[in-house]
Amino acid sequence: MRINYGEKEITNGTGLRSSAVLNAPHVEIEGHDQARLYTLVMVDPDAPSPSKPEYREYLHWLVTDIPESADVRFGG
């Protein structure tokens, strides 16, 4: 899986400012099996802020049924 916000490729632990994530990222799942489906969940583990994590695990984005051979726009 590849996730990019503009030119920046995202890996585990990458931090981004809110101004950098105003638009949805470009997400690709590499493979060739149309029958294999994925779910993508984007959460904020320490909402509203790292210094005051009162709400925890805030759901920002959820896409289901993404075919392995397509990008996230083909999910449901």
Side-chain angles (χ1 to χ4, degrees):
M1 178 175 7
R2 299 183 84 144
I3 302 170
N4 286 62
Y5 274 103
E7 297 296 316
K8 184 170 180 90
E9 186 168 348
I10 306 304
T11 59
N12 285 338
T14 300
L16 296 170
R17 296 185 183 276
S18 57
S19 60
V21 296
L22 293 175
N23 299 311
H26 179 74
V27 179
E28 291 181 47
I29 300 171
E30 297 175 359
H32 303 289
D33 187 350
Q34 285 284 343
R36 186 171 283 181
L37 301 175
Y38 292 85
T39 298
L40 180 63
V41 179
M42 181 180 178
V43 296
D44 184 344
D46 52 9
S49 72
S51 61
K52 270 187 115 178
E54 299 165 353
Y55 305 121
R56 308 239 180 216
E57 294 295 328
Y58 181 84
L59 176 65
H60 284 285
W61 197 38
L62 173 69
V63 183
T64 62
D65 300 329
I66 306 166
E68 183 177 81
S69 60
D71 70 40
V72 74
R73 294 174 296 162
F74 293 94

